[in-house]
Amino acid sequence: MSQHPPGGRHSTSRASARRHGRGGVPAGGHELVDWIGRYLEEAERYPVLSRVKPGEVREALPPEAPASGEPWSAIRDDVERLIVPGLTHWNHPGFFAYFAISASGPGVLAEFLSAAFNAQGMLWRTSPAVTELEEVALGWLRRLLGLPDAFEGVIYDTASISTLHALAAARQAVPEHAHSSVDKAVMTLGLGQSGLRRIDADERFRLRPAALAAAIDEDRGNGVTPLAVVATVGTTAVTSVDPVPDIADICARERLWLHVDAAYAGVAAMVPGHEQTLAGCDRADSLVVNPHKWLFTPFDLSALFCRRMDRIEEAFALTPDYLQSREPGAVRNLMDTGVQLGRRFRALKLWMVLRYFGADGIRRRIAEHMRLARCFADWVDASDRFERLAPAPFSVVCFRANPAAPAGDLDDLNARLLDAVNATGEVFLSHTRLDGRFALRLAEHLDRLLPA
Ligand SMILES: *Cc1c(COP(=O)(O)O)cnc(C)c1O
């Protein structure tokens, strides 16, 4: 990129920006980029878990906005002094909790650029590149995942929202006019309660297809029309993988929408030897994968792939007059693919990340995360003081301390161990409960991305 916006009109546009009071980039902008670079390099300077007390950040700040503008340097200093100590550092090398989010330098710069463009992609014409780069970047991602071309993609903020839209599409696809209870079940708030049936899992935490088939029969027998099955590739607690090929058979037979939640683990399918991660997913109706989980893309960016994007559009297209636009040829208007009207330019960061690392660079990094997790699992298995509580197919290991002569209750011991580890400021682990047992959970990541 050249130093100035193209066209030689930069001085005019700067003058105009000043006139309109937008202000240019504050002096100190370059310094901020350097600061960000140092921060990403040296996140271990900070305790991984914030040590502030509840209310501390709020009370350090005045209750009113300043009457007149303040110098950028004062604001920036307060970020370092007051805000940074209140952060839990997801970039810290000792952050092993949840799913260690792996942002990357190019992704951060892409966010910077996207904010500068401030493009709002509700309609194709409100920024054609927002719509079309989304198609391109998701096309690349779809091929990397090995999904068929029949899947169209759309970007949302989170997997929660992606899945909501997939289920809205499933409802749209119910052939008979569904009973209003179905609508209610699938509407945002109704989803969790009466409309949701949990299916039993086997001893390795995978959905049991026979239990699914029985539940469908039972529902139909009771006059309830099932409409969708959600299978998970990489469950949140233990990263187990449901038997999607068997579930797809049942869904085909029963004519049910199959949505696959591969938010975290889907990207593992890119790694040679791990293609089977998404086995059977080519037969799903929709699938969600989160580049912001394990694809070096800063939060937030979730990709929904759907065979029937028209169903999502049927469910959500609602166009007031002032937004009617007629473009030559068929264009997609992102506002028709969901609840939101305005859309952020998220595709930019996915596209930049995929280009910067390349498919091979990404595969190498994801493979390295899995190697590190296997390595940790081997340590646990070799130890006579710790034991593993679940298979570790990806980058997460669930384990607990189980010494020969435990002093008291094992759950209690492990909860205290977790608190002690997390109080060091060097490591942050999360926990889960497996078969009633308190489990420590370690999600591998690379503290610093390998050079491209
Ligand atoms: C993280 C996760 C989600 C939720 O992701 P958001 O993007 O935060 O909504 C859903 N499903 C699975 C399997 C996940 O790992």
Side-chain angles (χ1 to χ4, degrees):
M1 182 179 287
S2 64
Q3 205 182 348
H4 298 296
R9 289 172 49 86
H10 52 271
S11 49
T12 320
S13 53
R14 261 198 224 141
S16 130
R18 265 197 302 276
R19 252 198 324 279
H20 290 93
R22 197 191 309 132
V25 171
H30 295 276
E31 192 205 326
L32 181 65
V33 174
D34 292 338
W35 189 93
I36 291 170
R38 268 199 322 282
Y39 168 73
L40 292 175
E41 283 290 310
E42 304 168 4
E44 67 267 35
R45 283 189 293 153
Y46 305 98
V48 53
L49 258 178
S50 170
R51 292 177 166 163
V52 294
K53 311 246 172 333
E56 200 174 320
V57 175
R58 195 178 54 238
E59 281 153 25
L61 295 164
E64 314 246 2
S68 42
E70 299 184 56
W72 176 255
S73 59
I75 305 169
R76 205 256 354 257
D77 289 352
D78 278 354
V79 168
E80 188 145 13
R81 199 166 58 86
L82 302 173
I83 306 300
V84 173
L87 295 173
T88 287
H89 294 281
W90 288 73
N91 298 294
H92 192 289
F95 191 110
F96 297 112
Y98 315 114
F99 289 113
I101 284 183
S102 37
S104 60
V108 173
L109 290 180
E111 283 284 46
F112 208 1
L113 198 52
S114 157
F117 292 145
N118 196 23
Q120 205 275 49
M122 62 184 172
L123 299 170
W124 179 85
R125 66 158 58 153
T126 60
S127 269
V130 172
T131 303
E132 295 189 13
L133 194 64
E134 183 162 321
E135 285 174 34
V136 170
L138 291 182
W140 290 4
L141 180 60
R142 188 191 64 234
R143 282 180 190 187
L144 287 170
L145 294 171
L147 291 174
D149 291 353
F151 284 91
E152 241 183 296
V154 60
I155 292 175
Y156 300 111
D157 52 359
T158 57
S160 309
I161 298 299
S162 292
T163 294
L164 173 73
H165 286 93
L167 294 181
R171 177 189 57 186
Q172 208 67 27
V174 172
E176 73 268 33
H177 191 81
H179 186 265
S180 64
S181 63
V182 178
D183 292 55
K184 282 191 177 170
V186 180
M187 276 157 63
T188 322
L189 297 174
L191 254 183
Q193 308 298 324
S194 56
L196 181 69
R197 252 194 106 147
R198 293 170 197 281
I199 307 299
D200 285 344
D202 65 15
E203 71 294 344
R204 303 186 72 189
F205 312 102
R206 299 168 303 192
L207 181 148
R208 292 198 303 113
L212 172 64
I216 293 168
D217 285 348
E218 188 185 281
D219 277 354
R220 291 210 199 278
N222 291 332
V224 173
T225 306
L227 66 87
V229 175
V230 179
T232 310
V233 170
T235 57
T236 307
V238 288
T239 72
S240 56
V241 177
D242 289 337
V244 175
D246 298 342
I247 297 169
D249 286 344
I250 294 173
C251 289
R253 194 172 69 225
E254 300 283 347
R255 308 190 56 155
L256 296 180
W257 185 283
L258 173 57
H259 175 63
V260 176
D261 179 354
Y264 149 72
V267 297
M270 296 181 190
V271 177
H274 289 265
E275 295 85 353
Q276 81 289 353
T277 304
L278 290 180
C281 294
D282 54 331
R283 296 163 62 203
D285 296 282
S286 54
L287 176 141
V288 58
V289 60
N290 272 3
H292 74 224
K293 278 255 171 78
W294 200 9
L295 200 63
F296 318 117
T297 307
F299 191 77
D300 53 9
L301 195 161
S302 174
L304 177 71
F305 291 104
C306 184
R307 284 179 176 277
R308 297 298 310 268
M309 201 56 82
D310 57 318
R311 300 285 192 200
I312 294 184
E313 289 174 1
E314 271 170 49
F316 293 103
L318 182 84
T319 311
D321 279 349
Y322 74 101
L323 292 174
Q324 300 280 1
S325 69
R326 280 185 303 276
E327 315 299 343
V331 297
R332 177 192 279 180
N333 292 314
L334 288 172
M335 60 171 261
D336 293 337
T337 54
V339 178
Q340 272 182 272
L341 175 61
R343 295 298 179 107
R344 233 154 78 59
F345 194 3
R346 292 192 181 86
L348 190 64
K349 57 186 168 181
L350 178 59
W351 178 71
M352 285 186 156
V353 163
L354 292 176
R355 286 191 64 176
Y356 186 82
F357 294 109
D360 290 340
I362 284 170
R363 292 187 181 107
R364 207 152 39 81
R365 288 169 172 83
I366 294 173
E368 177 64 4
H369 292 177
M370 292 195 279
R371 189 190 69 78
L372 290 169
R374 268 196 310 279
C375 190
F376 184 81
D378 288 345
W379 293 348
V380 170
D381 292 347
S383 160
D384 50 10
R385 291 178 299 156
F386 290 90
E387 66 178 348
R388 205 134 58 78
L389 294 180
F394 303 110
S395 65
V396 170
V397 182
C398 292
F399 67 107
R400 68 171 176 175
N402 190 358
D409 178 58
L410 275 184
D411 283 358
D412 191 46
L413 170 73
N414 280 280
R416 281 186 289 118
L417 179 62
L418 180 70
D419 287 345
V421 165
N422 286 347
T424 62
E426 287 168 27
V427 169
F428 178 24
L429 298 180
S430 51
H431 69 279
T432 185
R433 205 164 263 285
L434 297 177
D435 296 329
R437 297 176 297 183
F438 188 96
L440 305 175
R441 193 176 162 290
L442 178 138
E444 273 297 352
H445 71 127
L446 296 179
D447 54 328
R448 245 165 243 118
L449 291 167
L450 311 174

Coordinates of all heavy atoms in Angstrom, one line a residue, residues 133-176:
L133 N -15.7 -10.1 -1.1 CA -14.5 -10.7 -0.4 C -15.0 -11.8 0.6 O -14.3 -12.8 0.8 CB -13.7 -9.7 0.4 CG -12.3 -10.1 0.8 CD1 -11.5 -10.5 -0.4 CD2 -11.6 -9.1 1.7
E134 N -16.2 -11.6 1.2 CA -16.7 -12.7 2.0 C -16.9 -14.0 1.2 O -16.6 -15.0 1.7 CB -18.0 -12.2 2.6 CG -18.7 -13.1 3.6 CD -19.7 -12.5 4.6 OE1 -19.5 -11.3 5.0 OE2 -20.7 -13.1 4.8
E135 N -17.5 -13.8 0.0 CA -17.7 -15.0 -0.8 C -16.3 -15.7 -1.1 O -16.2 -16.9 -1.1 CB -18.4 -14.7 -2.1 CG -19.8 -14.4 -2.0 CD -20.4 -13.9 -3.3 OE1 -20.0 -14.3 -4.4 OE2 -21.4 -13.0 -3.2
V136 N -15.3 -14.9 -1.4 CA -14.0 -15.4 -1.8 C -13.4 -16.1 -0.6 O -13.0 -17.3 -0.7 CB -13.1 -14.3 -2.4 CG1 -11.7 -14.8 -2.5 CG2 -13.7 -13.7 -3.7
A137 N -13.3 -15.4 0.5 CA -12.6 -15.9 1.7 C -13.3 -17.2 2.2 O -12.6 -18.2 2.5 CB -12.5 -14.9 2.8
L138 N -14.6 -17.2 2.1 CA -15.3 -18.4 2.6 C -15.2 -19.5 1.6 O -15.3 -20.7 1.9 CB -16.8 -18.1 2.9 CG -17.0 -17.2 4.1 CD1 -18.5 -17.0 4.4 CD2 -16.3 -17.8 5.4
G139 N -15.1 -19.2 0.3 CA -14.9 -20.2 -0.7 C -13.5 -20.9 -0.5 O -13.4 -22.1 -0.5
W140 N -12.5 -20.1 -0.1 CA -11.2 -20.7 0.2 C -11.3 -21.6 1.4 O -10.8 -22.7 1.4 CB -10.2 -19.6 0.5 CG -9.8 -18.7 -0.7 CD1 -10.2 -18.8 -1.9 CD2 -8.8 -17.7 -0.6 NE1 -9.6 -17.8 -2.7 CE2 -8.7 -17.1 -1.9 CE3 -8.0 -17.1 0.4 CZ2 -7.8 -16.1 -2.3 CZ3 -7.1 -16.1 0.0 CH2 -7.0 -15.6 -1.3
L141 N -12.0 -21.0 2.4 CA -12.1 -21.8 3.7 C -12.8 -23.1 3.4 O -12.4 -24.2 3.9 CB -12.8 -21.0 4.7 CG -13.0 -21.6 6.1 CD1 -11.7 -22.0 6.7 CD2 -13.8 -20.7 7.1
R142 N -13.9 -23.0 2.6 CA -14.7 -24.3 2.4 C -13.8 -25.3 1.7 O -13.9 -26.5 2.0 CB -15.9 -23.9 1.5 CG -16.8 -25.0 1.3 CD -17.8 -24.8 0.2 NE -17.2 -24.7 -1.1 CZ -17.3 -23.7 -1.9 NH1 -18.0 -22.6 -1.7 NH2 -16.6 -23.7 -3.1
R143 N -13.0 -24.9 0.7 CA -12.1 -25.9 0.0 C -11.1 -26.4 1.0 O -10.8 -27.6 0.9 CB -11.5 -25.2 -1.1 CG -12.4 -25.1 -2.3 CD -11.9 -24.5 -3.5 NE -13.1 -24.3 -4.3 CZ -13.1 -23.9 -5.5 NH1 -11.9 -23.7 -6.1 NH2 -14.2 -23.8 -6.2
L144 N -10.5 -25.6 1.8 CA -9.5 -26.1 2.8 C -10.2 -27.1 3.7 O -9.5 -28.0 4.2 CB -9.0 -24.9 3.6 CG -8.0 -24.0 2.9 CD1 -7.8 -22.7 3.7 CD2 -6.7 -24.7 2.6
L145 N -11.4 -26.9 4.0 CA -12.1 -27.9 4.9 C -12.6 -29.1 4.2 O -13.0 -30.1 4.8 CB -13.4 -27.2 5.6 CG -13.1 -26.1 6.5 CD1 -14.4 -25.4 6.9 CD2 -12.4 -26.5 7.8
G146 N -12.5 -29.1 2.9 CA -12.9 -30.3 2.1 C -14.4 -30.4 2.0 O -14.9 -31.5 1.7
L147 N -15.2 -29.3 2.1 CA -16.6 -29.3 2.0 C -17.0 -29.1 0.5 O -16.3 -28.4 -0.2 CB -17.3 -28.2 2.8 CG -17.2 -28.4 4.3 CD1 -17.8 -27.2 5.0 CD2 -18.0 -29.6 4.8
P148 N -18.1 -29.7 0.1 CA -18.5 -29.6 -1.3 C -19.0 -28.2 -1.7 O -19.3 -27.4 -0.8 CB -19.7 -30.5 -1.5 CG -19.9 -31.2 -0.2 CD -19.0 -30.6 0.8
D149 N -18.9 -27.9 -3.0 CA -19.3 -26.5 -3.5 C -20.7 -26.2 -3.2 O -21.1 -25.0 -3.2 CB -19.1 -26.5 -5.0 CG -17.7 -26.5 -5.4 OD1 -16.8 -26.5 -4.5 OD2 -17.4 -26.7 -6.6
A150 N -21.6 -27.2 -2.9 CA -23.0 -26.9 -2.7 C -23.2 -26.0 -1.4 O -24.3 -25.5 -1.2 CB -23.8 -28.2 -2.6
F151 N -22.2 -25.9 -0.6 CA -22.3 -25.1 0.6 C -22.0 -23.7 0.3 O -20.9 -23.4 -0.2 CB -21.3 -25.6 1.7 CG -21.8 -26.8 2.4 CD1 -21.4 -28.1 2.0 CD2 -22.6 -26.8 3.6 CE1 -21.8 -29.2 2.6 CE2 -23.0 -27.9 4.2 CZ -22.6 -29.2 3.8
E152 N -22.9 -22.8 0.6 CA -22.6 -21.4 0.5 C -22.3 -20.8 1.9 O -22.8 -21.4 2.9 CB -23.9 -20.7 0.1 CG -23.8 -19.9 -1.2 CD -25.1 -19.2 -1.5 OE1 -26.2 -19.9 -1.7 OE2 -25.1 -18.0 -1.5
G153 N -21.4 -19.8 2.0 CA -21.0 -19.4 3.3 C -21.5 -18.0 3.6 O -21.8 -17.2 2.8
V154 N -21.6 -17.7 4.9 CA -21.9 -16.4 5.4 C -21.2 -16.2 6.7 O -21.1 -17.1 7.5 CB -23.4 -16.1 5.5 CG1 -24.1 -17.0 6.4 CG2 -23.7 -14.6 5.9
I155 N -20.7 -15.0 7.0 CA -20.0 -14.7 8.2 C -20.9 -14.0 9.2 O -21.7 -13.1 8.9 CB -18.8 -13.7 7.9 CG1 -17.8 -14.5 7.1 CG2 -18.2 -13.2 9.2 CD1 -16.6 -13.6 6.6
Y156 N -20.9 -14.5 10.4 CA -21.6 -13.9 11.6 C -20.5 -13.6 12.6 O -19.3 -13.9 12.5 CB -22.7 -14.8 12.1 CG -23.8 -15.2 11.2 CD1 -23.9 -16.4 10.7 CD2 -24.6 -14.2 10.7 CE1 -24.9 -16.8 9.8 CE2 -25.7 -14.5 9.8 CZ -25.8 -15.8 9.4 OH -26.8 -16.1 8.5
D157 N -21.0 -13.1 13.8 CA -20.0 -12.8 14.8 C -19.6 -14.0 15.5 O -18.4 -14.3 15.7 CB -20.6 -11.7 15.8 CG -21.9 -12.1 16.4 OD1 -22.5 -13.1 16.0 OD2 -22.4 -11.3 17.2
T158 N -20.5 -14.9 16.0 CA -20.2 -16.0 16.8 C -20.9 -17.3 16.3 O -21.9 -17.2 15.6 CB -20.6 -15.8 18.3 OG1 -22.0 -15.5 18.2 CG2 -19.9 -14.6 18.9
A159 N -20.5 -18.4 16.8 CA -21.1 -19.7 16.5 C -22.5 -19.7 17.0 O -23.4 -20.4 16.4 CB -20.3 -20.9 17.1
S160 N -22.8 -19.1 18.1 CA -24.1 -19.0 18.7 C -25.1 -18.5 17.7 O -26.2 -19.0 17.4 CB -24.1 -18.2 20.0 OG -23.1 -18.6 20.8
I161 N -24.7 -17.4 17.0 CA -25.5 -16.7 16.0 C -25.6 -17.6 14.7 O -26.6 -17.7 14.1 CB -25.0 -15.3 15.8 CG1 -25.1 -14.5 17.1 CG2 -25.8 -14.6 14.7 CD1 -26.5 -14.3 17.7
S162 N -24.5 -18.2 14.4 CA -24.5 -19.0 13.2 C -25.5 -20.2 13.4 O -26.3 -20.5 12.5 CB -23.1 -19.6 13.0 OG -22.2 -18.7 12.6
T163 N -25.5 -20.8 14.5 CA -26.4 -21.9 14.8 C -27.8 -21.4 14.8 O -28.7 -22.1 14.3 CB -25.9 -22.6 16.1 OG1 -24.6 -23.2 15.8 CG2 -26.9 -23.7 16.4
L164 N -28.0 -20.3 15.4 CA -29.4 -19.7 15.4 C -29.9 -19.6 14.0 O -31.1 -20.0 13.7 CB -29.4 -18.4 16.1 CG -30.7 -17.6 16.1 CD1 -31.7 -18.2 17.0 CD2 -30.5 -16.1 16.4
H165 N -29.1 -19.1 13.1 CA -29.5 -18.9 11.7 C -29.7 -20.3 11.0 O -30.7 -20.4 10.3 CB -28.6 -18.0 11.0 CG -28.7 -16.6 11.3 ND1 -27.9 -16.0 12.3 CD2 -29.5 -15.6 10.9 CE1 -28.2 -14.8 12.5 NE2 -29.2 -14.5 11.6
A166 N -28.9 -21.2 11.3 CA -29.0 -22.6 10.7 C -30.4 -23.2 11.2 O -31.1 -23.8 10.4 CB -27.9 -23.5 11.1
L167 N -30.7 -23.0 12.4 CA -32.0 -23.6 12.9 C -33.2 -22.8 12.4 O -34.2 -23.4 12.1 CB -32.0 -23.7 14.4 CG -30.9 -24.6 15.0 CD1 -31.0 -24.7 16.5 CD2 -31.1 -26.0 14.4
A168 N -33.0 -21.5 12.2 CA -34.1 -20.8 11.6 C -34.3 -21.3 10.1 O -35.5 -21.4 9.7 CB -33.8 -19.3 11.5
A169 N -33.2 -21.6 9.4 CA -33.3 -22.2 8.1 C -34.0 -23.6 8.2 O -34.8 -23.9 7.3 CB -32.0 -22.3 7.4
A170 N -33.7 -24.3 9.2 CA -34.3 -25.7 9.3 C -35.8 -25.5 9.5 O -36.5 -26.3 8.9 CB -33.6 -26.4 10.5
R171 N -36.2 -24.6 10.3 CA -37.6 -24.4 10.5 C -38.3 -24.0 9.2 O -39.4 -24.5 8.9 CB -37.9 -23.3 11.5 CG -39.3 -23.0 11.7 CD -39.6 -21.8 12.6 NE -38.9 -20.6 12.0 CZ -38.9 -19.5 12.6 NH1 -39.4 -19.3 13.8 NH2 -38.3 -18.5 12.1
Q172 N -37.6 -23.1 8.4 CA -38.2 -22.7 7.2 C -38.4 -23.9 6.2 O -39.2 -23.9 5.4 CB -37.2 -21.7 6.6 CG -37.8 -20.7 5.6 CD -38.7 -19.7 6.4 OE1 -38.5 -19.5 7.6 NE2 -39.7 -19.2 5.7
A173 N -37.5 -24.9 6.4 CA -37.5 -26.1 5.5 C -38.5 -27.1 5.9 O -38.7 -28.1 5.1 CB -36.1 -26.7 5.4
V174 N -39.2 -27.0 7.0 CA -40.1 -28.0 7.4 C -41.3 -28.0 6.4 O -41.9 -27.0 6.1 CB -40.7 -27.8 8.8 CG1 -41.8 -28.7 9.1 CG2 -39.6 -27.9 9.8
P175 N -41.5 -29.2 5.7 CA -42.4 -29.2 4.6 C -43.8 -28.8 4.9 O -44.4 -28.0 4.2 CB -42.3 -30.6 4.0 CG -41.6 -31.4 5.1 CD -40.9 -30.5 6.0
E176 N -44.4 -29.4 5.9 CA -45.8 -29.0 6.2 C -45.7 -27.7 7.0 O -44.7 -27.3 7.5 CB -46.5 -30.1 7.0 CG -46.0 -30.3 8.5 CD -44.9 -31.3 8.6 OE1 -44.1 -31.4 7.6 OE2 -44.8 -32.0 9.6

